[in-house]
Each structure stands twice: as structure tokens, then as C-alpha cells.
Amino acid sequence: MIITLHDKSFEPYIKEVAIQNRINAIAEQISDDYKGKTPVFISMLNGAFWFTADLLKNYDGNCEVSFVKFKSYHGTESTGTVTQSVGIDVDLSGRDIIILEDIVDTGKTLSVFLDELFKHTPASVKIASLLLKPNALKYPIKVDYTGFEIPNDFIVGYGLDYDGLGRNYKDIYVVK
């Protein structure tokens, strides 16, 4: 099914069943890695809310969750500027942190957030991202748990949007 959002058409790219299978595998790995610990999951809004919900439903252990919100895109392009509108609201000192991202492309947003996060002296920080664009990465970001590595194409669905539209689709779509 082709979908149209604003002035662009998108075609199916990753089906919901494949997404759920990868998220289940990531949740299992994180559950094993953090057995006996109580990590704090920090979800990067708005895009990671679906990934966060599905991952936490499958996480086997105690945990806390918090949300932060950054914006760096306008349309299909990064603005080059990262603005924060929701910040850290829990004590992270000495805690194990797992950042949940929908997609890591250039890495700029995460780079800005990590600088802020390390001021809170966490015990450890790991990154889990549903999607990673290794060819777009411009900052030294290490993603510890990756759902899918994808080319540098513009995608929507499963929480990702194009100027506010498309987050609600269960599958991921790529621009035609």
C-alpha cells in the first residue's frame, strides 16, 4: 500500500511483524544484560514512544522510564540545530541508563543529549535504537542495541513522521 503524506509518497519498507520480532529480541538481550538491576529507560520523544512501549512490554525485570524531547528536523532535513523542550526529571546519579531512540542518523541529537546526561553522573549509559543509518552518522555515537541498520533514506511510520504525519502507521515506509 502506497501512502501519501503532504507532498510525498511512501512505500512499505519494514513490516510490523519484523519490527516486533526485533524489539522482542532487543528486550530479551537487555533483560539478560540488566538481570538483578533496575535501569532507567529514557525515551526520546516523540518518535521513540512506540518503540519504548513495545520494548518495555517485553522487558523482564524492574525498571523506571522517563522521557525527554528534542527537535532537530523540519520536513525531511535536519535543521542542524537541536532544541530541547522536555528535560530530565529524575535523579540519574549512579544509575544504569538505557536511552531509547527511534532512529540514529547523524547522531547530533544524541551527542547533545549525552553531554547533558553525563552531567548527572550515571553509573552506565547504553543506547538502544530501533533504526540506525550508519552511512549518515557524523558523531561518535555507539549504539549498543540496534533493531535494523538501514540506508540513508527518509522513512515514516511506527512513530517516525514527516512534518507531523505518519507516526500512526504500524509498518515503516520509505519515500518513493
Side-chain angles (χ1 to χ4, degrees):
M1 169 178 86
I2 304 297
I3 60 171
T4 301
L5 305 172
H6 299 295
D7 59 339
K8 300 199 180 309
S9 294
F10 296 83
E11 60 190 5
Y13 185 60
I14 305 173
K15 291 292 196 185
E16 178 187 21
V17 66
I19 295 167
Q20 293 305 321
N21 287 339
R22 281 301 300 139
I23 291 172
N24 292 344
I26 292 169
E28 186 176 312
Q29 182 63 55
I30 293 172
S31 297
D32 288 346
D33 291 351
Y34 288 85
K35 190 171 288 301
K37 297 183 178 184
T38 305
V40 178
F41 290 93
I42 299 180
S43 178
M44 305 288 281
L45 294 175
N46 285 337
F49 74 98
W50 278 38
F51 177 51
T52 299
D54 287 341
L55 187 133
L56 290 180
K57 284 188 275 187
N58 292 287
Y59 177 74
D60 184 25
N62 292 325
C63 66
E64 294 179 31
V65 64
S66 189
F67 298 88
V68 294
K69 185 173 181 178
F70 291 85
K71 184 172 181 168
S72 63
Y73 263 76
H74 180 72
T76 62
E77 301 292 324
S78 175
T79 63
T81 303
V82 177
T83 57
Q84 182 176 359
S85 57
V86 176
I88 298 168
D89 64 352
V90 293
D91 182 7
L92 302 178
S93 179
R95 302 293 304 275
D96 294 304
I97 309 302
I98 304 166
I99 300 169
L100 301 179
E101 259 288 24
D102 54 348
I103 187 166
V104 175
D105 47 28
T106 67
K108 182 166 185 156
T109 300
L110 268 177
S111 180
V112 168
F113 179 56
L114 286 168
D115 286 347
E116 174 66 23
L117 185 63
F118 284 118
K119 293 175 186 173
H120 294 264
T121 62
S124 69
V125 176
K126 299 277 184 159
I127 298 169
S129 183
L130 179 62
L131 303 165
L132 172 63
K133 293 182 178 180
N135 294 334
L137 207 56
K138 295 180 181 173
Y139 292 81
I141 300 296
K142 178 182 180 255
V143 178
D144 303 282
Y145 307 97
T146 302
F148 301 92
E149 286 191 7
I150 63 170
N152 195 16
D153 297 322
F154 191 76
I155 56 173
V156 297
Y158 197 77
L160 295 118
D161 74 307
Y162 171 40
D163 273 349
L165 298 180
R167 291 189 196 278
N168 58 305
Y169 289 97
K170 294 177 184 179
D171 299 326
I172 293 175
Y173 292 79
V174 63
V175 71
K176 283 185 68 161

